[in-house]
Amino acid sequence: MSETVTHESPDRVTQPPGDVIDLGKLEKSLRRPRTAFNFVMSGLTSLMTIMALVPLFSVVLMLLVRGGKRLSLSVFSELPPTAFEQGGGFGNAVVGTLVMVGLAALISVPFGVLGAVFLAEVGPKTRLAKVVRMCAKVLSGFPSILAGVFAYGAVVLITGGFSAVAGGIALSILMLPTIMLTAEEAISMVPSKMREAAVGMGATQAQTVWMVLLPTAFPGLLTGVMLAVARAAGETAPLLFTALFSNYWLTSGGRIDFMQPMASLAVLIYNFSAMPFDNQVELAWAAALVLVLLVLMVNLIGQSLSRKTME
Amino acid sequence: MSAVSESNVGTAASIARAPTFIEKYGNIVFRWATYLFAWLTVFLVLYIVYTITKQALPAISKHGWGFITGTTWDPNTRVYGVLPEIWGTMYSSLLALFIGSLFGLAVAIFLSEHYLAAFVFSLLKAVGLQFHPVWGKLPDQLERLFKNLIELLAAIPSVVYGLWGIFFIIPLIRPFCLAWHAKLGWIPIFGTTLSGPGMLPAAIVLSIMIMPTISAISLNALLAVPPKLREAAYGLGATRWESILAILLPTASKGIFGAIILAFGRALGETMALAMLVGNSNVISWSLFSPANTLAALLANNFAEAGPREIGVLMFAALILLGITVLVNMAGAFVLHRASVGQEGVR
């Protein structure tokens, strides 16, 4: 009897029945639970990733369809319409967004870059640098509405009214950490040979920074500024109760006045989206399209710059 | 420097010279300026906390703990309580975190496993173009494009997401929500009807906004796992997903956890999308379809029209929001810091 078994499969005799290697088990087959699980999970991951991109395309499509319908040159030159009025535009809001982001950049760029020079060059390993880095990180996780609350308490209450300056200050608080942390990284990535060569030539620290480090780190600096500008241009919450909104151009008595309430694209979208009038809702979509184009353009410039520095 | 100039005496004037007055003192002024701005950053953070606290103090002494446990907000009778707002902030953030983490992790795994590149490569291989000088680069290029598209999701302003939510998400999910309420209304989370703005649309939009944060940081954590761990798992015969679940995710877990906490901080402080979608009514409800309110939305809606007395109360609410978000963010930064220290140890 044992002879016939040996004849059929010689393994069976030498090995106890429990340890039989079934080659079929090693085969990659979807009938095996392990492989099937792997296949299902891979499919699920791919499906979820594609679903994650659906909102982006949906937002862009809706902006193009609903916003593009209303977009024309006249919306850039006209003032927002009142309740039952037809037509109109958001020229003052475009100007307002640019002015306030410009004001914010004027405050936060020198502040951020000089702070970054301290972090990367003057005292990178001091205790102060550690504290400053922590503060910058706290600021970067700061809810944007609290920047508005702060600017309200520190500027609006003191100057006695809503103003473009208060809006600019609120935005600058949100831009500061991005600019400072990216600038620090860009400056510390400059090869130390260049720094040493400058010092060896007898340059003072200020000359090294101005003539060697900042020009070399310039693309990186600009990336940080661009990302910060893109973020600030889209922010609504800090402007709601600092710059408020205005239906008029930024002039009083023929002169430009920054101490007045000022319109911005983001606040216009927020205000008009809640209105029951079709004209205003259409304008909100057109304004959203302009805002997204502005933000994406600045973002893409920043991204292409950062790619250049990496190469 | 003096030795050089002495040896050149008589031949030609040396270009070496001591720094001029302006250079010398300019340098000192410059150094002081950088110190000044470094200190100013610290001062700014303290000044923000001081400003909000100072404005909130009268309200704190007047309302005290009752402010946090109260459930009504009525400027006319001057009864203020933010429990519904705290509840709404936490509930919406946790819901968004749940959805956002699932999708964010899926994206991070999809990109770190190079599914897309492998798929495009196999397509090219089928046509025989996989090593073509132009087409051969396609897998990597597509993957980079994909990563940038995910990052673009974070670049869209929150007010635009709010607008999109009002005119796209709410009409889209409303029929489903009404059907679920009709059939499963006895379950608390489907307890009310969706009459327009509500918790679910707000949480969906919020999850889209925090998803890029989770996927970007988790992707870095997954890519930082040493390749030998994965190779060892494959060598033992593990399938791709067995190695992901047993090796990759546990190894990268600290980084992923940090990403989720940071995203939680972002969700807590997010304002506009919620102010536009959550419904702004002081309700504490388990229902996904009920309107609610959040701390940030409360501030956004009431601040501009608030009288001097209400400002103090709103500043108190802002202080609570500040406390919660700073705590959560510092916890996230701490976890991420620990994760990066741990990974250096592995290498």
Side-chain angles (χ1 to χ4, degrees):
Chain A
M1 191 178 152
S2 70
E3 287 242 348
T4 51
V5 174
T6 337
H7 188 71
E8 276 175 24
S9 76
D11 285 340
R12 288 250 165 116
V13 184
T14 51
Q15 286 189 343
D19 280 4
V20 173
I21 296 176
D22 184 359
L23 285 177
K25 252 188 188 165
L26 295 178
E27 192 188 351
K28 194 176 173 185
S29 154
L30 284 182
R31 275 192 221 118
R32 309 248 161 246
R34 292 176 59 201
T35 337
F37 176 73
N38 188 45
F39 182 76
V40 169
M41 286 304 278
S42 293
L44 201 65
T45 314
S46 310
L47 191 74
M48 281 172 80
T49 309
I50 292 164
M51 272 170 71
L53 273 185
V54 169
L56 180 69
F57 290 113
S58 164
V59 168
V60 170
L61 197 72
M62 277 197 85
L63 282 174
L64 289 176
V65 172
R66 296 196 63 163
K69 196 168 63 181
R70 186 59 196 273
L71 202 62
S72 64
L73 274 180
S74 67
V75 295
F76 291 101
S77 58
E78 282 173 38
L79 288 173
T82 50
F84 288 99
E85 204 180 325
Q86 286 302 307
F90 41 76
N92 61 342
V94 176
V95 175
T97 294
L98 295 179
V99 165
M100 277 188 285
V101 172
L103 268 177
L106 221 58
I107 300 169
S108 58
V109 170
F111 194 150
V113 171
L114 277 174
V117 167
F118 176 82
L119 290 181
E121 184 63 23
V122 177
K125 292 200 175 89
T126 53
R127 198 175 295 156
L128 175 61
K130 266 186 201 155
V131 177
V132 171
R133 263 182 222 121
M134 201 196 76
C135 285
K137 273 183 191 145
V138 166
L139 276 182
S140 69
F142 209 64
S144 57
I145 185 122
L146 290 183
V149 172
F150 164 71
Y152 184 89
V155 185
V156 175
L157 285 183
I158 288 170
T159 58
F162 302 107
S163 66
V165 172
I169 288 175
L171 290 181
S172 73
I173 291 169
L174 296 171
M175 288 171 69
L176 180 66
T178 316
I179 294 179
M180 192 181 278
L181 293 173
T182 45
E184 187 208 345
E185 213 185 316
I187 294 172
S188 55
M189 263 166 59
V190 173
S192 53
K193 286 184 238 175
M194 299 179 69
R195 186 175 295 136
E196 286 151 15
V199 173
M201 299 274 288
T204 63
Q205 194 165 31
Q207 285 170 326
T208 316
V209 169
W210 277 119
M211 295 171 178
V212 178
L213 295 184
L214 288 186
T216 317
F218 189 69
L221 287 179
L222 214 55
T223 304
V225 174
M226 287 291 176
L227 290 181
V229 163
R231 185 185 167 196
E235 282 292 355
T236 320
L239 299 179
L240 278 176
F241 39 85
T242 51
L244 214 67
F245 191 73
S246 146
N247 273 325
Y248 307 101
W249 295 101
L250 185 73
T251 51
S252 66
R255 292 195 10 239
I256 293 174
D257 185 3
F258 286 138
M259 296 312 287
Q260 276 185 349
M262 191 184 228
S264 58
L265 280 173
V267 177
L268 179 127
I269 298 168
Y270 176 61
N271 286 347
F272 280 11
S273 71
M275 284 194 182
F277 310 111
D278 283 343
N279 184 33
Q280 267 80 347
V281 172
E282 274 177 19
L283 272 179
W285 278 103
L289 177 63
V290 173
L291 184 62
V292 167
L293 285 179
L294 189 79
V295 168
L296 289 191
M297 205 174 62
V298 178
N299 240 311
L300 287 179
I301 295 172
Q303 275 187 8
S304 67
L305 281 172
S306 78
R307 209 165 296 137
K308 244 175 227 162
T309 45
M310 266 183 233
E311 285 161 6
Chain B
M1 199 178 274
S2 64
V4 175
S5 53
E6 272 165 30
S7 71
N8 282 342
V9 170
T11 53
S14 164
I15 57 164
R17 57 170 172 78
T20 61
F21 179 83
I22 292 177
E23 280 165 355
K24 197 172 165 191
Y25 287 94
N27 188 40
I28 293 172
V29 170
F30 178 76
R31 281 179 63 91
W32 276 108
T34 62
Y35 267 97
L36 176 74
F37 278 100
W39 274 111
L40 266 181
T41 315
V42 182
F43 176 73
L44 178 68
V45 173
L46 295 179
Y47 187 54
I48 290 172
V49 176
Y50 166 77
T51 309
I52 297 179
T53 314
K54 192 186 83 182
Q55 303 279 342
L57 269 181
I60 295 176
S61 59
K62 193 176 165 208
H63 298 276
W65 286 105
F67 187 67
I68 295 174
T69 54
T71 55
T72 48
W73 182 280
D74 189 356
N76 297 324
T77 55
R78 292 193 199 134
V79 179
Y80 300 105
V82 288
L83 192 62
E85 280 80 13
I86 295 177
W87 165 260
T89 308
M90 287 292 171
Y91 195 37
S92 63
S93 301
L94 287 174
L95 277 176
L97 202 61
F98 177 69
I99 308 172
S101 303
L102 278 182
F103 280 88
L105 258 185
V107 171
I109 292 173
F110 184 85
L111 286 172
S112 71
E113 293 288 319
H114 305 291
Y115 274 114
L116 187 68
F119 177 70
V120 178
F121 185 79
S122 64
L123 274 189
L124 288 174
K125 204 176 168 190
V127 218
L129 284 173
Q130 73 269 40
F131 297 122
H132 189 273
V134 177
W135 291 100
K137 284 182 191 150
L138 200 63
D140 288 342
Q141 279 171 345
L142 273 181
E143 208 161 80
R144 208 174 306 140
L145 175 77
F146 204 87
K147 228 189 231 168
N148 286 343
L149 283 180
I150 295 282
E151 277 171 20
L152 278 189
L153 270 176
I156 293 178
S158 64
V159 71
V160 176
Y161 275 124
L163 190 68
W164 176 73
I166 292 175
F167 292 99
F168 183 76
I169 287 285
I170 291 180
L172 181 78
I173 64 171
R174 206 159 163 223
F176 297 101
C177 297
L178 292 179
W180 285 338
H181 172 66
K183 277 186 198 144
L184 303 166
W186 49 273
I187 305 175
I189 58 169
F190 301 130
T192 56
T193 55
L194 184 77
S195 58
M199 185 57 91
L200 187 63
I204 290 176
V205 172
L206 196 55
S207 71
I208 296 169
M209 297 176 67
I210 60 171
M211 197 273 294
T213 312
I214 298 178
S215 72
I217 305 177
S218 311
L219 178 61
N220 283 342
L222 283 171
L223 289 178
V225 175
K228 51 184 167 182
L229 291 184
R230 178 203 303 264
E231 285 151 16
Y234 285 163
L236 286 170
T239 63
R240 187 200 287 269
W241 267 90
E242 279 166 352
S243 73
I244 290 174
L245 290 179
I247 308 293
L248 295 178
L249 288 182
T251 315
S253 62
K254 272 187 196 158
I256 294 170
F257 189 54
I260 291 176
I261 295 181
L262 281 187
F264 188 48
R266 271 204 65 183
L268 290 172
E270 179 45 52
T271 313
M272 294 324 294
L274 285 163
M276 292 164 91
L277 291 169
V278 85
N280 304 313
S281 68
N282 288 18
V283 182
I284 300 182
S285 162
W286 279 104
S287 172
L288 293 174
F289 308 147
S290 150
N293 207 349
T294 71
L295 283 170
L298 176 84
L299 295 173
N301 284 319
N302 295 336
F303 226 105
E305 287 103 35
R309 206 173 266 115
E310 212 186 341
I311 287 293
V313 185
L314 287 170
M315 287 284 183
F316 192 3
L319 195 64
I320 295 172
L321 180 63
L322 177 70
I324 297 174
T325 46
V326 166
L327 271 183
V328 169
N329 276 319
M330 283 176 74
F334 179 71
V335 170
L336 275 182
H337 180 71
R338 288 280 299 272
S340 65
V341 170
Q343 270 165 5
E344 273 156 24
V346 171
R347 282 188 203 124

